[in-house]
Amino acid sequence: IFYTLEDEPEDDVALEILDRDGAVLRRYSSRPSGRKPTKPAFGAPIDPVVPKKKGMNRFVWNLTYPGPNLTDDALMYIGYSGGPVAVPGTYQAKLSYGEFSASASFELLKDPRVATTLADYQEQFKLLVQIRDKLTLTHDAIRSIRDIRQQVQALSKRLVEAGQGEDVETAAGALEGELTRLENELIQTQNEAHQDPINFPPRLDTRFGFLYGYVHRLNGKPTEGAYHRFNDLKPRLAEKLARYQGVKENELAAFNALVREKGVLPVIVGR
C-alpha cells in the first residue's frame, strides 16, 4: 500500500483494512504498540508500524486477520501464531490522521498456479478462525489462572506476616496446587528456548497451534483429518475449562470466604 504525505503529521496515522461490507478487520498505527516479546519466537507476532514520513510511504499488509491472543511465553512449536489469511475478494484500505481520511478499494487475487476454489478458501478461513478462537480461549484461561494464583499468594503472604494466616496458608497452598495443575495441562511452562519442546511434551495450546499451522499451510480446503483432530481437541479444552470453573466456584470461593472473615478483600476474578 503506497501513499504520499505532504508533511509528516503530528497526529498518529492509522491504516485500516476493511472488508467489502466496510467492517474493519485490521487496524495498524504509526504509534508502536510498546509490546516486546519476552523471548524470540515466543508469544504473538507484533504488528508493524505505519510509516508517516514526508513524501512517499509504503506499508505491507500480510493479508491476515488478527491472530490468537497468546501469552508472551507461548511457543507455537512447528505451529502458527499469526492470523487467518484473507479470502480472495474485494477489500478497502483507509488512511486517516487528524481530520484527514482517504480510502481506496483493491482486489485480493488467488494464486493462479493453484486450482483452489473460492469455496475451498472460505472453508479454510472458517476452520482457521475456529481454531484461532480456541487458542485465544485457552490463553485467556492461562492468564486468568496466573492472575488468581498471584493474588492468592500475595494475600496469603500478607496474612502470614500479620500473624493470622496459618489456616489461610494451608488453603492457599491447596488452591495454588489446583491452579498450577490446570496451567500445566494448558501450556508447557518449562519451555525456555525454541528447541525446548523437543525435551518437554506439548500441552493443549501447542496441539491447537500445530493444527492451526497445518491448516494455514494447506492453501486450500482443510482435510478430513484436520476436522477430526479439531473435534478431538475441542472437548479436551471444554473439560479443562469446566474444571477451572469448578475451582473458582468451590476452592476459590472457600478461600475468599476465609480471607473475608479476617477483614481482608478477597481475590478478584477478571471477566
Side-chain angles (χ1 to χ4, degrees), residues 149 151-157 160 165-179 251 255 258-259:
R149 185 175 58 209
Q151 292 184 66
V152 169
Q153 290 169 342
L155 281 171
S156 176
K157 182 181 177 182
V160 168
E166 185 175 337
D167 51 349
V168 172
E169 187 176 27
T170 301
L175 177 53
E176 288 171 35
E178 287 292 332
L179 293 171
E251 287 90 337
F255 178 83
L258 189 60
V259 298

Side-chain angles (χ1 to χ4, degrees), residues 78-103:
I78 321 180
Y80 178 59
S81 58
V85 177
V87 173
T90 303
Y91 295 84
Q92 300 175 60
K94 180 180 178 182
L95 185 77
S96 58
Y97 58 90
E99 297 181 357
F100 173 83
S101 177
S103 61

